[in-house]
């Protein structure tokens, strides 16, 4: 395999690095990397890996672009709101670098498809925002023997490390058990400084390139923590736990993370059959509400525990968010207060109605 003249021109700054050169650029060209999530972390990860010339980039995400994404998800713009993220990302990345092969997986990573998808790639980069997915990705990477580049963000803080690299520690070595349900809100509930995903995602891309090129010291067994408000950085070393032995995927990662599966779901088509029969509650952010909504009362999930008494008494209440995740959480909050009301989560959220 060789580099074309166009590729040599595009990657010139790599080629003149003694540590990279043509041989290193060819390693990048033949590499296959899967990025989990095309959100705040996924956007900078994908852009830098595509720009660097990683030959095959897989993107897996089942979400669509929302107006509230634009504060930090820099692959998207107002004219792409409502479109599948993987489709928009693929188009933008191909325009950035026509020499890379972008594979869009417009689906949610599940127990049923995780191993099949992950086995097709050399490295997995996790940009997900929930614990069930993180444990699933970790376990699948262990079973498929793939290094996992991990990143997470919370308000003004971020973390980066590499799991399962050359028999190094895994996510479960660092976090054997998930936190209790709803004790760690995601950025849609608590917020995040827009630049933070760019910093952490850039570091994840850096670790990925180091693994491909065999450069530097990979953050295996080292958790890098960054506080952007103070500028402080801390490295925490951790070891592989020999007592943790992953032999198969769990039957239900949501249940493992304490997420109840008892929430009743209702499709939008079913609601429209008899709309008078159902009251609607939107638990998304104000920005999401103003961009597009399905009607009904609006109480953000972050305010629901104190404002639930604004909800009128009714026989049936359909709670909705963008994808169905927050609405399920909202129902757990409401169950103890609205004991006489039948609560439903709108299946697929607003995304399923577009």
């Amino acid at each position: 395999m060789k580099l074309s003249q166009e590729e040599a021109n595009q990657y010139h700054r790599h080629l003149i690095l003694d540590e990279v050169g043509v041989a290193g650029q060819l390693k990048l060209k033949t590499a296959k990397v899967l990025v989990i999530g095309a959100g705040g972390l996924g956007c900078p990860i994908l852009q830098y890996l595509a720009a660097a010339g990683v030959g095959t980039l897989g993107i897996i995400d089942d979400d669509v672009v929302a107006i509230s994404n634009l504060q930090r998800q820099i692959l998207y713009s107002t004219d792409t709101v409502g479109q599948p993220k993987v489709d928009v990302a693929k188009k933008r990345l191909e325009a950035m670098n026509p020499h890379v092969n972008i594979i869009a997986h417009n689906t949610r990573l599940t127990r049923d498809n995780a191993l099949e998808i992950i086995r097709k790639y050399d490295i997995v980069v996790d940009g997900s925002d929930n614990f069930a997915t993180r444990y699933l990705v970790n376990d699948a990477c262990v079973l498929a023997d793939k290094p996992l580049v991990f990143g997470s963000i919370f308000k003004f803080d971020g973390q980066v490390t590499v799991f399962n690299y050359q028999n190094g520690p895994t996510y479960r070595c660092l976090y054997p058990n998930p936190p209790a349900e709803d004790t760690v809100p995601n950025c849609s509930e608590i917020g995040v400084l827009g630049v933070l995903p760019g910093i952490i995602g850039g570091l994840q891309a850096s670790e990925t390139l180091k693994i491909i090129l065999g450069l530097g010291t990979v953050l295996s067994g080292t958790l890098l923590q960054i506080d952007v408000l103070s500028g402080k950085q801390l490295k925490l070393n951790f070891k592989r736990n020999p007592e943790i032995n992953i032999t198969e995927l769990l039957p239900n990662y949501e249940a493992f993370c304490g997420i109840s599966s008892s929430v009743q779901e209702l499709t939008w088509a079913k609601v429209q059959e008899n709309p008078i029969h159902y009251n609607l509650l939107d638990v998304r952010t104000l920005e999401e509400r103003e961009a597009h909504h399905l009607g009904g009362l609006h109480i953000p999930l972050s305010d629901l525990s104190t404002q639930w008494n604004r909800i009128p008494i009714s026989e049936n209440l359909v709670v909705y968010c963008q994808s169905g995740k927050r609405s399920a959480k909202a129902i757990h909050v409401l169950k103890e207060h609205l004991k006489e009301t039948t609560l439903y989560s709108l299946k697929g959220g607003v995304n399923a109605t577009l």
Side-chain angles (χ1 to χ4, degrees):
M1 182 176 291
K2 296 182 179 180
L3 297 175
S4 67
Q5 187 57 54
E6 291 80 6
E7 289 174 302
N9 293 339
Q10 185 158 343
Y11 306 134
H12 177 66
R13 296 300 191 275
H14 270 176
L15 301 183
I16 59 177
L17 283 172
D18 292 337
E19 295 85 352
V20 180
V22 173
Q25 195 63 49
L26 289 173
K27 289 181 181 179
L28 293 173
K29 185 173 181 176
T30 57
K32 298 178 181 180
V33 177
L34 175 66
V35 178
I36 310 292
L41 292 173
C43 284
I45 293 166
L46 288 164
Q47 285 176 291
Y48 274 111
L49 295 183
V54 172
T56 300
L57 275 176
I59 319 168
I60 182 164
D61 198 303
D62 66 341
D63 204 358
V64 298
V65 180
I67 192 70
S68 60
N69 298 153
L70 306 186
Q71 166 252 14
R72 64 201 177 281
Q73 299 182 20
I74 54 178
L75 273 172
Y76 313 121
S77 52
T78 53
D79 63 321
T80 64
V81 170
Q83 298 180 33
K85 288 183 178 180
V86 292
D87 293 344
V88 178
K90 176 179 171 68
K91 183 177 180 181
R92 296 280 167 88
L93 296 171
E94 288 175 339
M96 175 190 299
N97 189 349
H99 306 295
V100 298
N101 176 30
I102 309 297
I103 301 174
H105 302 276
N106 190 3
T107 186
R108 183 175 179 82
L109 195 74
T110 67
R111 182 190 187 280
D112 295 330
N113 63 20
L115 282 172
E116 178 185 358
I117 293 174
I118 285 173
R119 281 177 173 146
K120 298 176 181 177
Y121 297 89
D122 305 319
I123 302 170
V124 177
V125 189
D126 188 2
S128 65
D129 63 356
N130 65 88
F131 290 99
T133 300
R134 290 169 183 169
Y135 281 99
L136 168 62
V137 172
N138 173 80
D139 294 357
C141 284
V142 171
L143 294 173
D145 194 22
K146 308 291 182 180
L148 172 60
V149 181
F150 173 82
S152 68
I153 52 176
F154 183 80
K155 296 180 71 173
F156 306 101
D157 303 324
Q159 299 180 338
V160 183
T161 189
V162 177
F163 298 117
N164 204 42
Y165 177 69
Q166 296 182 349
N167 203 38
T170 72
Y171 184 72
R172 287 180 180 273
C173 299
L174 187 60
Y175 302 111
N177 300 301
E181 184 182 5
D182 294 339
T183 58
V184 184
N186 60 37
C187 70
S188 64
E189 301 163 13
I190 200 68
V192 63
L193 188 66
V195 71
L196 179 62
I199 296 170
I200 301 303
L203 287 169
Q204 287 180 267
S206 175
E207 290 302 304
T208 305
L209 295 179
K210 285 160 60 179
I211 293 172
I212 296 170
L213 295 169
L215 294 179
T217 301
V218 174
L219 286 175
S220 175
T222 301
L223 181 71
L224 174 62
Q225 299 177 312
I226 298 176
D227 176 353
V228 295
L229 291 186
S230 66
K232 292 181 179 179
Q233 298 186 24
L234 174 67
K235 283 186 176 181
L236 171 68
N237 294 323
F238 60 101
K239 296 181 179 180
R240 184 177 181 87
N241 185 345
E243 296 182 2
I244 296 177
N245 187 24
I246 300 168
T247 58
E248 60 182 0
L249 297 180
L250 297 180
N252 190 322
Y253 281 86
E254 284 76 17
F256 172 70
C257 292
I259 301 172
S260 173
S261 58
S262 61
V263 173
Q264 297 185 73
E265 290 186 319
L266 208 62
T267 65
W268 183 238
K270 187 68 175 178
V271 173
Q272 290 182 307
E273 287 179 6
N274 191 5
I276 300 177
H277 189 60
Y278 302 101
N279 279 352
L280 298 177
L281 173 64
D282 183 354
V283 295
R284 300 174 302 158
T285 64
L286 178 60
E287 292 78 12
E288 290 173 302
R289 172 79 175 186
E290 291 177 342
H292 176 70
H293 66 84
L294 306 176
L297 181 65
H298 175 236
I299 304 176
L301 179 59
S302 57
D303 299 332
L304 197 57
S305 61
T306 57
Q307 297 187 26
W308 64 268
N309 52 4
R310 290 176 49 202
I311 302 172
I313 297 175
S314 63
E315 184 178 348
N316 299 292
L317 179 68
V318 179
V319 185
Y320 71 90
C321 62
Q322 198 66 30
S323 65
K325 298 176 186 177
R326 282 172 283 170
S327 57
K329 289 185 177 181
I331 286 177
H332 291 305
V333 174
L334 294 173
K335 274 183 176 179
E336 61 180 287
H337 302 294
L338 305 179
K339 298 184 183 297
E340 304 302 319
T341 300
T342 302
L343 302 170
Y344 299 95
S345 173
L346 184 63
K347 188 174 183 179
V350 173
N351 293 346
T353 71
L354 299 174

